Amino acid sequence: MGSHWAGLEETLGALPSLLFCKMLRFLKRPLVVTADINLNLVALTGLGLLTRLWQLSYPRAVVFDEVYYGQYISFYMKRIFFLDDSGPPFGHMLLALGGYLGGFDGNFLWNRIGAEYSSNVPVWSLRLLPALAGALSVPVSYQIVLELHFSHCTAMGAALLMLIENALITQSRLMLLESLLIFFNLLAVLSYLKFFNSQKHSPFSPHWWLWLMLTGVSCSCAVGIKYMGIFTYLLVVSIAAVHAWNLIGDQTLSNICVFGHLIARAVALLVIPVFLYLLFFYVHLMLLYRSGPHDQIMSSAFQASLEGGLARITQGQPLEVAFGSQVTLRNVFGKPLPCWLHSHKNTYPMIYENGRGSSHQQQVTCYPFKDINNWWIIKDPGRHQLVVNNPPRPVRHGDIVQLVHGMTTRLLNTHDVAAPLSPHSQEVSCYIDYNISMPAQNLWKLDIVNRESSQDTWKTILSEVRFVHVNTSAVLKLSGAHLPDWGFRQLEVVGEKSRGHHESMVWNVEEHRYGKSQEQKERELELHSPTQVDISRNLSFMARFSELQWKMLTLKNEDSEHKYSSTPLEWVTLDTNIAYWLHPRTSAQIHLLGNIVIWTSASLATVAYTLLFFWYLLRRRRSICDLPEDAWSHWVLAGALCTGGWAINYLPFFLMERMLFLYHYLPALTFQILLLPIILQHVSDHLCRSQIQKNIFSALVVAWYSSACHVSNMLRPLTYGDTSLSPGELRALRWKDSWDILIRKY
């Protein structure tokens, strides 16, 4: 035992000297770091940056849709809430990030295209992120083709086509979202291909996990920029599902290993995108906490959660509505306009224009502005008092109430008389006793739609309620029709007997106070005074997210016809262009106009791939394999990504009922551009039988690419807008009669 400890002590004592000797040996050798640098990739990145960042601040004026996105950037800078139905907020936040980095204070009036930017607007910074995304799309395209197992020459061809395509250059040099969308689309595809190719050699390695997770992140970023991003997301998920299905059938893998693969894919491609999508909205709502011009589109509860605006009025109002409460009732549906239940002293006309008669009772409407005549008193039918007891007696689900109009003290009423504009529904009025055998029918049953139990109390802002007429079972409803001049163009309110449920039948209390004055004159003074603040309420993030998401998906702007709108069929043949900007004094101008050689060739490549694919498929069915198995699998995967990417980003536009523009085609075009050099390599490798044929075909490809470069250079003045052309030169660029090239008349 003693000898053992002695040996250990001797070893420990010698340890410092051993380490010193090793350090001496290390210092005698040179420190060498090796790096594998792809110069092609470096050159493409440099060229991409050059073409996209060159004179990025020019023109220093609002260009086309910058007038649209610039307003939202200003809202971000001032923390003002807004609603944009064109897509989720991530893209807007990226543009706003550029403004933040440039020190933009949000003070600029984005009111017209062509307006000169003031000195406080950091134009270069605002356009920087879209330009970087457009530049990086070039090397990403190169890597995608390499990961599809095609040659470096083919990959260079795809990247160079992306580099010189005029429409892609134009769109990426402005404060717009398409270049950001395209970049994340391509990054998602590249990440998945790198993950898929590492699957065979190093599954579950850090490299494997990195690319799998980056696939999910890129997909969620694409969807977060524009709803169009979901097309590429579905494409990637579909291909991943096919590969996962093949993985399940791999008998060399254990059940636990297969299960691990499936869980990893589910987390990366389903869970992470959902989490990030929610995160985008969370940051969006955290930044935009102030009331703004879009508030009225949202519910009362949402408005009350914002700083200023309605929150200053409603924050801390009594929570529970009681008998004797004074309230304003807002229609939850709010279409065509947000409005409040309203009445005034005017009556319905005795005879309408179509000859029908009315009850000649006091008009009840829905009014889209704050007004003293929007106030109503919740009355207990068994009591004459119009004040709140002490303690207050709350109104509960199922209670029978009367609604007394605050300024005229007449009761809300409906009866078996046809409504003015909706004869299938009942007229709603405030009852006037004309002593003509038309008794009052003014009892309403309270139905709390979003109740948690049958004993729920009616709550300010939070409760969504229906008023069901006791005598006829009709439900108080906003029809949405505008009354004629005798109704002051206000919105019609009716009693609807249909049993279906619709948001137009649902109301909520927005402003609320406990009534204290019994005399009418004192009550009118009370209604004119501001509401009192007692307590505060806030919506949860998920409640705000759900409402905002629903509004974004269902809100439809009344789109008028635009001069530069176009149909999907016009995009393929480039029959249309968009004039983005015209110099105020010279003929210099910017157009969204594609390289016609590239667009036509890309469409032909898509047709060629489709025909070749089905030809090979038919021959393989007859056991004739024109391509080796590896080449065939690469061919199929390239087609699934490129042709599938084009189809899924293009064909859905034929089903959309919205105004469309040429830039909607750009994500689909990028997938076609990736396919084009792949088709050329396939023809050279597999269809050219002799060396002479290959040489001739190579010469034709060089000539074709030279023509694409020539066209790109010819259209350069319209791409960058930095050159003033003569009327003759502009007419020479009008290669199609449908192209709208602007020529000044001096």
Side-chain angles (χ1 to χ4, degrees):
M1 187 72 177
S3 62
H4 174 74
W5 282 108
L8 181 60
E9 289 176 1
E10 184 179 347
T11 303
L12 291 173
L15 188 59
S17 60
L18 289 172
L19 290 173
F20 182 72
C21 290
K22 288 188 176 182
M23 287 181 64
L24 283 176
R25 287 193 206 125
F26 175 76
L27 292 173
K28 289 178 181 179
R29 295 175 183 173
L31 184 63
V32 178
V33 177
T34 58
D36 186 10
I37 299 176
N38 187 332
L39 294 180
N40 287 351
L41 206 59
V42 173
L44 289 171
T45 304
L47 290 172
L49 292 171
L50 179 65
T51 55
R52 270 64 176 180
L53 296 179
W54 176 261
Q55 293 186 340
L56 189 60
S57 297
Y58 178 86
R60 196 174 171 81
V62 179
V63 179
F64 200 63
D65 273 353
E66 287 188 340
V67 73
Y68 177 72
Y69 293 111
Q71 298 177 48
Y72 300 139
I73 295 173
S74 288
F75 285 144
Y76 273 116
M77 298 300 105
K78 297 179 179 181
R79 303 294 190 265
I80 294 175
F81 172 78
F82 68 87
L83 173 64
D84 179 20
D85 63 334
S86 69
F90 183 57
H92 300 76
M93 288 192 290
L94 288 177
L95 295 180
L97 176 62
Y100 175 77
L101 295 175
F104 183 41
D105 56 8
N107 291 318
F108 181 76
L109 187 61
W110 311 85
N111 58 351
R112 65 180 179 88
I113 297 172
E116 293 288 329
Y117 284 122
S118 55
S119 59
N120 69 307
V121 181
V123 182
W124 190 88
S125 180
L126 286 168
R127 292 173 179 168
L128 176 61
L129 289 180
L132 288 177
L136 294 177
S137 295
V138 176
V140 170
S141 301
Y142 170 83
Q143 290 184 292
I144 287 175
V145 178
L146 283 184
E147 292 297 325
L148 287 169
H149 300 286
F150 290 89
S151 68
H152 281 273
C153 183
T154 300
M156 282 292 291
L160 291 174
L161 290 174
M162 292 282 291
L163 178 73
I164 67 171
E165 211 300 300
N166 298 79
L168 294 179
I169 296 174
T170 300
Q171 201 70 11
S172 61
R173 287 175 47 81
L174 302 170
M175 198 192 310
L176 306 172
L177 296 181
E178 274 67 32
S179 64
L180 292 165
L181 173 64
I182 290 169
F183 170 73
F184 283 110
N185 280 346
L186 295 177
L187 184 60
V189 171
L190 174 62
S191 300
Y192 181 76
L193 288 173
K194 283 186 171 290
F195 155 75
F196 177 69
N197 289 332
S198 65
Q199 170 72 32
K200 300 175 184 176
H201 310 293
S202 54
F204 298 107
S205 65
H207 182 266
W208 185 90
W209 278 108
L210 170 67
W211 292 114
L212 177 59
M213 293 299 173
L214 188 56
T215 303
V217 171
S218 302
C219 287
S220 60
C221 289
V223 177
I225 289 170
K226 280 199 166 188
Y227 287 127
M228 287 171 57
I230 202 169
F231 299 145
T232 301
Y233 175 52
L234 292 175
L235 173 72
V236 172
V237 169
S238 299
I239 293 174
V242 172
H243 289 160
W245 181 255
N246 294 334
L247 197 68
I248 293 172
D250 189 346
Q251 297 294 326
T252 63
L253 300 176
S254 66
N255 291 338
I256 295 177
C257 185
V258 170
F259 183 73
H261 277 288
L262 296 180
I263 291 296
R265 286 161 170 77
V267 169
L269 301 181
L270 298 177
V271 177
I272 286 180
V274 171
F275 171 77
L276 286 178
Y277 188 76
L278 291 173
L279 182 62
F280 297 151
F281 277 89
Y282 181 81
V283 175
H284 175 73
L285 292 172
M286 285 287 289
L287 291 173
L288 308 182
Y289 58 85
R290 291 177 179 158
S291 174
H294 297 174
D295 288 11
Q296 284 201 356
I297 299 172
M298 310 306 294
S299 69
S300 301
F302 194 103
Q303 292 182 56
S305 69
L306 299 171
E307 180 183 295
L310 181 64
R312 290 184 297 179
I313 302 172
T314 62
Q315 184 181 10
Q317 293 178 147
L319 179 61
E320 292 186 333
V321 178
F323 288 106
S325 285
Q326 299 168 357
V327 301
T328 62
L329 294 165
R330 187 179 191 264
N331 188 267
V332 171
F333 188 52
K335 290 184 179 180
L337 293 168
C339 62
W340 293 263
L341 189 66
H342 176 94
S343 186
H344 40 243
K345 292 182 178 180
N346 300 73
T347 59
Y348 292 110
M350 291 283 289
I351 303 295
Y352 296 123
E353 291 82 351
N354 58 8
R356 287 194 299 112
S358 79
S359 65
H360 198 47
Q361 299 280 317
Q362 183 172 302
Q363 295 176 19
V364 172
T365 65
C366 206
Y367 190 51
F369 301 99
K370 301 282 188 182
D371 190 87
I372 190 63
N373 282 309
N374 297 347
W375 283 93
W376 299 81
I377 302 169
I378 310 302
K379 181 180 178 297
D380 182 352
R383 298 173 64 241
H384 291 292
Q385 294 181 349
L386 297 177
V387 295
V388 175
N389 288 350
N390 190 15
R393 186 159 62 93
V395 184
R396 299 183 182 278
H397 170 73
D399 283 353
I400 305 299
V401 301
Q402 291 175 312
L403 297 177
V404 181
H405 186 240
M407 298 302 290
T408 62
T409 68
R410 294 200 167 101
L411 281 78
L412 188 72
N413 180 87
T414 188
H415 39 220
D416 193 16
V417 175
L421 304 179
S422 307
H424 58 282
S425 302
Q426 292 182 179
E427 175 193 85
V428 174
S429 65
C430 277
Y431 182 75
I432 303 174
D433 186 5
Y434 288 122
N435 195 21
I436 54 172
S437 302
M438 184 178 284
Q441 299 182 35
N442 50 35
L443 298 178
W444 300 85
K445 181 178 179 181
L446 184 74
D447 176 22
I448 302 179
V449 177
N450 59 341
R451 64 186 180 275
E452 295 180 359
S453 71
S454 59
Q455 295 298 310
D456 266 13
T457 58
W458 185 4
K459 295 181 179 65
T460 307
I461 293 179
L462 304 178
S463 294
E464 297 181 350
V465 303
R466 298 194 313 159
F467 297 99
V468 183
H469 191 235
V470 172
N471 297 76
T472 63
S473 298
V475 181
L476 190 69
K477 176 186 175 182
L478 169 66
S479 78
H482 285 273
L483 294 169
D485 291 339
W486 55 258
F488 308 101
R489 307 299 298 173
Q490 295 174 17
L491 300 173
E492 182 190 41
V493 174
V494 301
E496 180 65 68
K497 284 188 176 182
S498 72
R499 301 197 173 201
H501 174 75
H502 194 269
E503 283 182 309
S504 58
M505 298 177 175
V506 182
W507 307 79
N508 71 273
V509 170
E510 190 168 89
E511 296 181 63
H512 176 213
R513 74 177 92 225
Y514 283 159
K516 298 177 181 178
S517 303
Q518 185 64 37
E519 295 297 324
Q520 177 62 16
K521 289 186 178 180
E522 294 178 0
R523 189 185 304 118
E524 289 182 11
L525 291 174
E526 185 179 334
L527 292 174
H528 277 286
S529 64
T531 54
Q532 296 184 2
V533 173
D534 300 2
I535 55 176
S536 62
R537 293 172 296 281
N538 288 307
L539 280 181
S540 67
F541 162 69
M542 286 307 298
R544 298 173 74 202
F545 163 75
S546 300
E547 180 179 343
L548 180 57
Q549 182 66 86
W550 179 250
K551 292 288 185 183
M552 292 171 67
L553 292 173
T554 57
L555 185 67
K556 290 185 179 179
N557 290 327
E558 296 297 327
D559 290 333
S560 57
E561 191 65 27
H562 194 283
K563 178 180 180 181
Y564 293 111
S565 62
S566 53
T567 64
L569 284 176
E570 294 176 306
W571 303 342
V572 177
T573 53
L574 201 58
D575 286 336
T576 182
N577 71 306
I578 304 177
Y580 270 7
W581 173 80
L582 175 65
H583 194 282
R585 293 173 297 278
T586 70
S587 64
Q589 52 195 280
I590 295 176
H591 287 257
L592 184 67
L593 190 59
N595 187 314
I596 195 166
V597 173
I598 296 176
W599 287 51
T600 304
S601 304
S603 297
L604 292 175
T606 305
V607 174
Y609 178 88
T610 305
L611 294 176
L612 284 171
F613 174 78
F614 283 109
W615 172 251
Y616 290 146
L617 199 63
L618 288 172
R619 286 172 63 81
R620 288 175 72 86
R621 186 65 178 166
R622 297 181 62 83
S623 300
I624 304 173
C625 296
D626 299 284
L627 301 176
E629 283 304 315
D630 282 349
W632 171 250
S633 62
H634 298 156
W635 174 254
V636 171
L637 181 57
L641 280 171
C642 299
T643 307
W646 168 81
I648 201 170
N649 279 281
Y650 172 60
L651 298 180
F653 286 105
F654 285 95
L655 306 176
M656 293 185 185
E657 296 180 358
R658 56 171 294 182
M659 196 154 50
L660 300 172
F661 294 90
L662 180 63
Y663 53 72
H664 287 123
Y665 187 60
L666 296 182
L669 176 70
T670 56
F671 285 97
Q672 278 190 317
I673 291 176
L674 293 177
L675 181 65
L676 179 50
I678 290 174
I679 292 292
L680 296 177
Q681 180 183 339
H682 182 81
V683 172
S684 176
D685 291 349
H686 299 283
L687 301 183
C688 293
R689 302 299 182 184
S690 65
Q691 189 60 45
I692 295 177
Q693 290 178 340
K694 290 184 177 183
N695 292 339
I696 294 173
F697 182 74
S698 298
L700 292 174
V701 169
V702 170
W704 163 80
Y705 186 77
S706 300
S707 66
C709 292
H710 178 65
V711 170
S712 179
N713 187 59
M714 290 184 67
L715 295 178
R716 185 195 174 283
L718 302 181
T719 300
Y720 289 89
D722 57 353
T723 304
S724 180
L725 301 177
S726 67
E729 290 173 320
L730 290 171
R731 291 190 191 94
L733 289 176
R734 192 179 179 185
W735 298 339
K736 289 193 173 188
D737 293 336
S738 54
W739 288 4
D740 187 16
I741 308 295
L742 305 177
I743 301 176
R744 288 188 179 277
K745 295 180 180 179
Y746 295 98

